[in-house]
Amino acid sequence: MNKKQEIKVSNKVIHILSNKGFKINRYYSRTTRSIYLKLDYGVCGAIRISDHVGKKKYKYKFNLIRNYNGPREVKDDGCYRKYYSYQHTNELIEDVEKEKKVKIQKYGLKNYEEYMKENSKRDLYKSFKKVA
């Protein structure tokens, strides 16, 4: 399975966000071309990068889909999910930065960092690779 485009886009996102101080963990799907990026150990959500729309049962806050052409934001069971095409990576980055600012304002920087520390201990991160 060729993930060249997805890897290229994920590397760009990782590079930009890591330079902005985000902690990033990456996971490659074994069955699809999807790549998952956890931001600040999930406190700031996650980005799903893929060539197809994902399964409805998984609710990723940020979705970067190759050639995506649809609604930018969808309310799903009370959760807002955002969608971008690969050509709109800069908008994704801006929205991720806004999300972090909102969370820090809501929780306070000290609590945000404490949530990151607690989340980093979860078993989930045994399958993710720390990349930034």
Side-chain angles (χ1 to χ4, degrees), residues 24-85:
I24 304 168
N25 296 77
R26 177 179 56 207
Y27 175 79
Y28 292 107
S29 171
R30 293 185 180 128
T31 58
T32 68
R33 291 186 175 118
S34 299
I35 299 171
Y36 303 92
L37 305 178
K38 288 283 192 177
L39 307 172
D40 290 345
Y41 292 99
V43 180
C44 194
I47 301 171
R48 179 179 173 274
I49 301 169
S50 190
D51 64 341
H52 64 281
V53 177
K55 295 178 182 176
K56 187 159 177 59
K57 68 179 181 175
Y58 298 115
K59 296 176 178 18
Y60 289 92
K61 175 82 176 190
F62 302 103
N63 298 273
L64 192 55
I65 312 294
R66 185 191 316 169
N67 301 321
Y68 180 76
N69 186 16
R72 178 105 194 292
E73 189 171 83
V74 174
K75 188 173 184 180
D76 186 9
D77 291 334
C79 299
Y80 284 97
R81 301 169 68 188
K82 297 186 178 198
Y83 293 85
Y84 314 82
S85 68

Side-chain angles (χ1 to χ4, degrees), residues 3 18 20 38 41 51 54 57 71 76 78 82 84 86 94 101 112 131:
K3 295 184 184 185
S18 66
K20 294 178 180 287
K38 288 283 192 177
Y41 292 99
D51 64 341
K57 68 179 181 175
D76 186 9
K82 297 186 178 198
Y84 314 82
Y86 288 3
E94 289 172 14
K101 285 179 186 174
Y112 185 93
V131 292

Side-chain angles (χ1 to χ4, degrees), residues 81-95:
R81 301 169 68 188
K82 297 186 178 198
Y83 293 85
Y84 314 82
S85 68
Y86 288 3
Q87 293 74 31
H88 294 98
T89 303
N90 290 337
E91 288 92 335
L92 165 75
I93 300 296
E94 289 172 14
D95 287 347

